[in-house]
Amino acid sequence: MADSDLRGEAYEAEHVHAVYEQIASHFSSTRYKPWPIVSQFLTTLPPGSIGLDIGCGNGKYLPLNPSIYILASDRSTNLAKIASSHQPQSAIVADSLALPHPLKTFDFAISIAVVHHLSTVSRRREAVAAILGVLRKGGRALIYVWALEQKGSRRGWEEGGEQDVMVPWVVKGPKQVKPRKRKAKTETDEAVSMPVEGGGDRTFQRYYHLYRKGELEEDVVVAGGAVVESGYEKDNWWAIATPRWET
Amino acid sequence: MKLLTLNFLTCARKACKATNAAFPLHPKDAELEIVEVELSPLFVRNILPRVEWEALRTLCQDLGLPQLPATAPEPGELFTPNPSDGVEGEGIEEVGEEGEPTQTLKDLHHVLLETTIREGKLVCGSCGHEYAVKEGIANFLLPSHLV
């Protein structure tokens, strides 16, 4: 693993953006079940609320509440295309550190499994600040990141472990395909079998920063926000944040 | 991309974002496409107060679309009065059930949600940077020297 000062934009271009662009359709086929905290956040918003889904992936959260308007964005063109099918919502291609939105405007924002792909602490905090910056006074953002503390998971990461990790995404070749039942519970970050032309497995490595307990709340405060509520849900830390406004 | 989407977009460059000149972005060489979207009268009614009407008018003008009225329609113009209600002068919030959506509401639905830019560019009025729209998807990634 490279030192923190070697990471940054170029590093993420190779170890995050390029990977998602290549695995987009396979990734999307495994992303269909919304996380409960996210569902609850979106479905309890008042009708007519307007907001952003920053790092929307395949847009699996866009159909949950048709009485609100969500403008979704992703760094991957292939994922944004998939996400754009959910009417009446919209999807564009944008970078979470250079959002093309008017400031202090939106009622809500969600950033689900996105900030942990930024490879330095200053870039992660910049991303949180960018999310807070588009919210109107009293607006709320739900930020959701992978936890370091997931002893119960197959990956076995736990407190005190390395926080900057590479996580493989395996696209199975046709010869290795075994029919496998999809799990009924919330999906894990695990590739399911999918044939690839040419045969053989292909493994893509994605960079993640695993958040330790309390770290997300720290980032929110440093970025100029206040934590309204926060918690842990199935291997992830989440926080609902609101911008702190000078009175 | 829908015209409604443009209501919530500006230039991605930090220096432009806070300026009035960057909003709205100006379409250039735009190829329009009508994409049918199921009418949700309440969605249109609820979203309307969040639409910058002047910007939408400018946009329609830029695109050569029929001119919009000078001011946004009032909530009362969006639904026919509910016959079972009969109370005059009440806002629709007070009415238990909305009447039928008017042509005004349907026209708004068509402009905001069904009229889309399929191909073209979106130009920032502040710095002049052009963002491409391809197959209906606008791309706001900046070249590294502009970040």
Side-chain angles (χ1 to χ4, degrees), chain B residues 1-5 7 44 47-48 51 53 56 107-116:
Chain B
M1 78 175 326
K2 303 172 185 67
L3 299 196
L4 175 64
T5 314
N7 186 70
V44 176
I47 220 75
L48 185 59
V51 172
W53 192 256
L56 182 65
D107 290 347
L108 278 172
H109 170 78
H110 185 69
V111 169
L112 290 170
L113 293 160
E114 296 189 319
T115 308
T116 71

Side-chain angles (χ1 to χ4, degrees), chain B residues 3 6 24-30 32 58-60 62-63 117 120-123:
Chain B
L3 299 196
L6 275 167
L25 297 170
H26 301 286
K28 185 180 161 191
D29 306 328
L32 297 183
T58 309
L59 184 60
C60 287
D62 287 355
L63 292 170
I117 298 177
K121 294 182 177 74
L122 299 170
V123 186

Side-chain angles (χ1 to χ4, degrees), chain A residues 50-199:
Chain A
I50 54 160
L52 303 173
D53 181 350
I54 299 164
C56 64
N58 67 351
K60 72 174 172 175
Y61 294 109
L62 301 183
L64 293 187
N65 184 351
S67 69
I68 60 175
Y69 177 65
I70 308 177
L71 171 46
S73 59
D74 202 276
R75 189 77 178 54
S76 159
T77 306
N78 288 338
L79 286 171
K81 270 184 195 158
I82 297 169
S84 70
S85 65
H86 300 287
Q87 297 290 4
Q89 320 303 6
S90 310
I92 57 165
V93 176
D95 191 300
S96 65
L97 297 183
L99 292 171
H101 306 297
L103 302 170
K104 302 179 180 179
T105 298
F106 298 89
D107 303 314
F108 70 93
I110 60 171
S111 161
I112 310 304
V114 175
V115 177
H116 57 208
H117 282 311
L118 291 161
S119 57
T120 66
V121 64
S122 62
R123 289 170 66 78
R124 288 189 290 275
R125 288 172 175 173
E126 201 186 326
V128 174
I131 295 165
L132 293 165
V134 296
L135 295 177
R136 65 164 170 81
K137 192 173 186 176
R140 290 180 173 201
L142 172 61
I143 304 169
Y144 205 105
V145 291
W146 231 2
L148 174 64
E149 300 85 351
Q150 37 178 308
K151 221 174 167 180
S153 85
R154 178 182 47 84
R155 293 168 291 269
W157 295 321
E158 58 182 309
E159 203 183 332
E162 172 61 47
Q163 286 185 262
D164 296 290
V165 298
M166 300 304 282
V167 180
W169 180 272
V170 182
V171 180
K172 295 271 190 198
K175 279 174 190 156
Q176 287 76 26
V177 169
K178 286 178 204 147
R180 194 204 295 193
K181 249 185 160 173
R182 268 193 178 153
K183 288 172 188 147
K185 57 178 181 167
T186 304
E187 79 241 358
T188 54
D189 205 73
E190 184 179 8
V192 291
S193 301
M194 191 191 81
V196 171
E197 240 177 283

Side-chain angles (χ1 to χ4, degrees), chain B residues 72-141:
Chain B
E74 296 294 321
E77 297 170 51
L78 302 178
F79 294 90
T80 57
N82 195 326
S84 66
D85 188 71
V87 182
E88 274 196 42
E90 294 274 335
I92 48 168
E93 276 76 19
E94 280 77 40
V95 179
E97 217 171 286
E98 284 77 17
E100 286 298 305
T102 59
Q103 192 58 47
T104 304
L105 186 144
K106 289 176 187 165
D107 290 347
L108 278 172
H109 170 78
H110 185 69
V111 169
L112 290 170
L113 293 160
E114 296 189 319
T115 308
T116 71
I117 298 177
R118 181 166 173 79
E119 300 286 333
K121 294 182 177 74
L122 299 170
V123 186
C124 171
S126 171
C127 71
H129 187 68
E130 298 184 350
Y131 298 96
V133 183
K134 286 180 187 159
E135 296 175 53
I137 307 283
N139 187 323
F140 288 91
L141 299 181

Side-chain angles (χ1 to χ4, degrees), chain A residues 1 14 25 53 71 109-110 157 208 236 247:
Chain A
M1 174 51 61
E14 182 182 350
S25 106
D53 181 350
L71 171 46
I110 60 171
W157 295 321
Y208 278 87
N236 292 275
T247 44

Side-chain angles (χ1 to χ4, degrees), chain A residues 207-238:
Chain A
Y207 167 84
Y208 278 87
H209 175 78
L210 303 172
Y211 272 73
R212 58 177 163 69
K213 186 180 184 181
E215 188 177 358
L216 179 58
E217 288 90 335
E218 265 172 54
D219 283 0
V220 166
V221 171
V222 173
V227 178
V228 177
E229 207 185 333
S230 62
Y232 181 87
E233 180 182 63
K234 201 177 184 310
D235 307 334
N236 292 275
W237 294 109
W238 60 269

